[in-house]
Amino acid sequence: MTFTTFKVPGVEAVEQLNAFRDQYPQTGQYPFLIGPDEERQRITEAAEFNQESPEEIILASQKVNLDEWVAERRAELEEYGFSADEMLGAWPGDIIEKGSLSLHKNVLSGRIHPEVFLGQVQIESPWQLPAALKYGGWNDCPEPEVQCAFHQKWHSEFGAEICGVAGDVVECTVERPPQDQQSALRLAWEQYWYCADIVDQGCETISNLGATLLKSPYWFFWWD
C-alpha cells in the first residue's frame, strides 16, 4: 500500500484530480491533492516515521469506539474550563460561500502554485487513505486509526471523501452534505472533536461551523 506522487501544473491540478477520481473504480488507484513540494516532503517523512503498516492501522480503526474517544477528548477539555454552551454560539444565518479545494493555492495570496503534486495509492475505499499515508498522531491531530474511523463514518453518512492531504491539512468533497440546521450542528460538533483548530483558531463557534457545513460540498480540516 505504498503511495506514489507526481508533479502537475497548478492550474491543471483540480481537473487532473477529478479525472483520476473518475477512473478510481476501474483502476483502484485512489488520487489525492497534496500541494507544493514541501507538503509532499512532509507527508512522505511522516509516513516513514510511523512503523505500523497500513493494514495494521485499518484493522485498528475497526476497533475504535468514536463515542468513547469523543468522551475522553471532551473530559480533557473540561478540565480546562470548556463550556459547550459558550462554544455553541448563535446561528449566523445562511452562509453563501461554501469553500473550495485549496491545496493547489498559496494560503495567503490565494494564487495558484506553478507546480503541485498529486498522489495515488491502491486502497479499497477513500476512508483508508490516512492508513496508507500513516497520517496523524502529532500535536492535536488524531492518530491514523482514529482518522480512518471518523472518515469511514462520514463516508457512510455523507458520502464524504478525502481528496487532499498536506502536512497539516485534510480536505474532503461531500456528496450528501447535511440539509438542515440540526444535522449541520451535530456534524459540526463531531468535526470539532476531530479537529478543534477549525473552530478555536478559525470560525470561533460551533454554530458558525455548522452554517458553513450546511449544504456544503467541501470540508476543510487544519491542525496547528
Side-chain angles (χ1 to χ4, degrees):
M1 202 177 286
T2 303
F3 65 94
T4 59
T5 64
F6 53 96
K7 190 185 303 182
V8 299
V11 294
E12 299 177 9
V14 173
E15 181 180 359
Q16 292 201 31
L17 173 68
N18 289 333
F20 285 120
R21 281 165 63 87
D22 289 341
Q23 297 169 16
Y24 168 61
Q26 288 74 44
T27 66
Q29 290 286 334
Y30 189 74
F32 55 100
L33 179 61
I34 299 170
D37 186 55
E38 63 191 62
E39 301 299 338
R40 181 191 65 82
Q41 293 182 37
R42 290 176 69 184
I43 66 170
T44 300
E45 291 170 359
E48 293 173 349
F49 179 78
N50 189 327
Q51 298 303 307
E52 281 191 293
S53 71
E55 292 78 13
E56 289 172 328
I57 295 171
I58 291 171
L59 182 61
S61 75
Q62 302 307 294
K63 302 176 182 178
V64 173
N65 184 314
L66 288 177
D67 290 337
E68 292 180 359
W69 188 88
V70 166
E72 292 177 4
R73 194 83 151 186
R74 179 166 183 158
E76 292 173 0
L77 289 182
E78 287 176 342
E79 292 181 3
Y80 296 94
F82 170 82
S83 168
D85 290 337
E86 292 178 5
M87 185 61 66
L88 178 61
W91 186 261
D94 291 340
I95 294 179
I96 304 302
E97 176 54 50
K98 298 298 185 180
S100 63
L101 303 185
S102 65
L103 291 180
H104 60 305
K105 300 177 183 179
N106 182 286
V107 67
L108 297 178
S109 69
R111 294 177 181 174
I112 295 176
H113 293 292
E115 295 179 328
V116 297
F117 283 83
L118 297 181
Q120 280 189 322
V121 65
Q122 189 89 23
I123 52 177
E124 294 181 1
S125 183
W127 64 264
Q128 297 177 346
L129 185 57
L133 303 182
K134 305 180 184 180
Y135 190 87
W138 37 264
N139 294 349
D140 203 36
C141 185
E143 298 287 344
E145 61 270 22
V146 178
Q147 296 268 349
C148 287
F150 269 109
H151 285 282
Q152 184 178 22
K153 181 177 188 293
W154 291 333
H155 180 67
S156 175
E157 293 183 2
F158 301 103
E161 298 182 354
I162 302 173
C163 61
V165 180
D168 53 8
V169 171
V170 169
E171 295 185 327
C172 299
T173 57
V174 189
E175 183 179 349
R176 302 182 302 276
Q179 299 294 304
D180 59 79
Q181 181 176 334
Q182 182 179 3
S183 299
L185 285 174
R186 179 181 62 80
L187 175 61
W189 275 114
E190 288 184 359
Q191 292 197 0
Y192 176 71
W193 300 121
Y194 168 71
C195 181
D197 283 342
I198 57 175
V199 176
D200 294 342
Q201 300 190 57
C203 63
E204 299 183 340
T205 69
I206 296 298
S207 290
N208 286 343
L209 176 58
T212 67
L213 297 174
L214 182 65
K215 301 181 181 180
S216 173
Y218 301 105
W219 293 350
F220 174 88
F221 303 103
W222 166 77
W223 294 270
D224 188 8

